[in-house]
Amino acid sequence: MKQGKIWGKTECLLQNSFVEFHRIDINQGTQCSMHKHEHKWNAFYVVSGELDIEVRKNNYDLTDTTKLMDGDFTTVTPGEYHRFVAHTDVVAFEIYYPEGLTEDIVRESVGGQI
């Protein structure tokens, strides 16, 4: 389903209990709100255009800016305030997935040669 946004539009292509996959079309010179996701990672893959991802870091007093161009990818950690800023018209994919998927391994021993 497509939804209009103040910055462009979003279309959810896949949604289940483990992942959300959206196509986003962002108009040049716009940005989304500064926001955070309590339990979800937020990933961005730029198909075309120039998009900044601004992240207000929790561990230190700094806002990191990652510039994404065609073919670039980045992620935002759960609990960190962030927003995107479009310098051109942008086509991108936005992916949400829960924290639990990335931190699910507990090692009892170290592998190696027998």
Side-chain angles (χ1 to χ4, degrees):
M1 175 175 81
K2 285 186 183 178
Q3 284 185 305
K5 297 284 189 175
I6 196 164
W7 44 260
K9 64 184 174 189
T10 182
E11 181 178 8
C12 184
L13 302 175
L14 171 69
Q15 182 178 15
N16 61 41
S17 57
F18 297 107
V19 67
E20 289 181 41
F21 186 76
H22 297 249
R23 176 192 161 123
I24 54 177
D25 296 298
I26 310 164
N27 299 326
Q28 179 177 357
T30 63
Q31 63 187 16
C32 70
S33 63
M34 183 66 78
H35 66 282
K36 69 178 178 176
H37 305 279
E38 291 290 335
H39 306 288
K40 295 179 189 174
W41 286 83
N42 196 184
F44 298 90
Y45 175 84
V46 172
V47 175
S48 64
E50 183 180 327
L51 187 68
D52 285 353
I53 307 298
E54 297 176 352
V55 179
R56 194 178 309 151
K57 303 306 290 180
N58 288 336
N59 302 354
Y60 45 92
D61 185 24
L62 180 71
T63 298
D64 281 337
T65 300
T66 302
K67 183 174 293 300
L68 301 177
M69 307 290 281
D70 299 8
D72 289 339
F73 176 82
T74 195
T75 59
V76 178
T77 304
E80 291 187 327
Y81 279 93
H82 62 282
R83 72 175 163 210
F84 56 71
V85 179
H87 297 286
T88 65
D89 286 340
V90 174
V91 174
F93 293 115
E94 186 175 22
I95 305 157
Y96 303 97
Y97 55 98
E99 174 74 25
L101 291 176
T102 59
E103 300 296 329
D104 71 338
I105 189 166
V106 177
R107 297 187 193 284
E108 187 177 271
S109 64
V110 177
Q113 290 184 333
I114 298 176

